[in-house]
Amino acid sequence: MKLYNYFRSSAAFRTRIAFNLKGVQCETVDVDLRAAASDQQKPEYHAVNPQGLVPALVIEDTTVAQSLAIIEYLDEVYPEPPLMPRSPVNRARVRAMALAVACDMHPLNNLRVLNYLRSPLGHDEETVNAWYRHWIAVGFSGLEQEARRATGDGRHMFGTSITIADIYIVPQMYNARRFKCDLEPYPTLRAVCAHLEALPAFAKAVPEAQPNAT
Ligand SMILES: N[C@@H](CCC(=O)N[C@@H](CS)C(=O)NCC(=O)O)C(=O)O
């Protein structure tokens, strides 16, 4: 397997956490998203992933895009430790929390969206940052309520063990800090992340721990 990865990508960060939790080694290929390189827009990368986004996982001669598809694939092929609860209703609740990040928050604040706000739309950095912080606040407000109801110990988004919901909240929290969002209103999310970030599988996946981090 080969993971197309970028150290600062929060979607790739999710897959790195999952690989670490499963204890599975994977070859990685860097896709430099910085403007000067923009590797994600090059034909060579589109031949691998026509969506032009990272991560992408190549399994033999097949590419799987989308972090959730990659993580669920890993969970099916390497079942231990499980990243989803057993019961269908609990699985649905965990998936819903992960999707709140993946579908409702992250796409609004993705690099290409922020770049489009800058050019051609002509917004300055202050406006772009205000946009970013607004969508973090909207998403985190809902997730804070959900996590309060679903956590079993104040250290996990759902129940008392690591699930996909935990894998999604940590990179989003990392980015929210990077963009200096106000995190005071989300004590449950902060406590969950503080616990998870200290675990080796999460700590080894952070952008600054990657070999190509600059
Ligand atoms: N829904 C996708 C999102 C992938 C995505 O947006 N990746 C970002 C990095 S976090 C990217 O490749 N951005 C490149 C760009 O915006 O041009 C997933 O979960 O994998």
Side-chain angles (χ1 to χ4, degrees):
M1 283 191 292
K2 213 189 274 184
L3 181 70
Y4 286 79
N5 178 47
Y6 177 60
F7 73 98
R8 206 175 274 135
S9 157
S10 65
F13 186 173
R14 301 164 187 160
T15 58
R16 294 195 299 262
I17 296 168
F19 272 102
N20 292 343
L21 287 167
K22 297 291 184 183
V24 173
Q25 302 294 324
C26 181
E27 183 189 342
T28 57
V29 182
D30 292 337
V31 181
D32 190 341
L33 303 185
R34 282 169 294 201
S38 293
D39 285 346
Q40 78 277 25
Q41 289 162 13
K42 293 184 177 156
E44 305 89 277
Y45 186 60
H46 279 233
V48 177
N49 179 9
Q51 294 178 17
L53 298 169
V54 292
L57 183 67
V58 174
I59 308 158
E60 293 172 7
D61 56 358
T62 303
T63 301
V64 177
Q66 295 293 338
S67 59
L68 193 61
I70 293 169
I71 293 167
E72 291 210 33
Y73 167 80
L74 289 178
D75 204 29
E76 285 168 22
V77 175
Y78 305 98
E80 294 300 328
L83 299 177
M84 294 286 267
R86 287 230 180 105
S87 86
V89 71
N90 287 344
R91 293 166 80 83
R93 287 176 71 194
V94 163
R95 213 176 261 121
M97 284 199 271
L99 289 171
V101 174
C103 299
D104 299 341
M105 296 180 69
H106 180 263
L108 289 164
N109 288 349
N110 191 7
L111 179 66
R112 62 186 176 181
V113 170
L114 302 185
N115 282 343
Y116 192 75
L117 290 172
R118 292 179 184 114
S119 169
L121 297 185
H123 293 292
D124 59 20
E125 270 325 281
E126 202 180 321
T127 309
V128 171
N129 287 336
W131 165 281
Y132 190 101
R133 292 178 191 135
H134 172 74
W135 293 115
I136 289 288
V138 170
F140 275 6
S141 298
L143 276 172
E144 171 70 20
Q145 303 303 317
E146 289 185 53
R148 261 184 225 174
R149 284 186 212 148
T151 187
D153 57 6
R155 305 194 316 170
H156 300 89
M157 292 293 281
F158 186 91
T160 56
S161 58
I162 293 171
T163 64
I164 285 175
D166 296 309
I167 293 176
Y168 276 71
I169 196 66
V170 165
Q172 196 61 67
M173 182 63 83
Y174 180 98
N175 275 2
R177 281 196 216 104
R178 193 168 151 236
F179 278 81
K180 299 187 175 23
C181 299
D182 176 15
L183 300 172
E184 273 307 302
Y186 321 115
T188 313
L189 301 183
R190 284 189 284 113
V192 165
C193 289
H195 166 70
L196 295 168
E197 284 161 1
L199 303 177
F202 287 79
K204 278 193 324 198
V206 295
E208 57 272 26
Q210 305 316 301
N212 53 353
T214 49

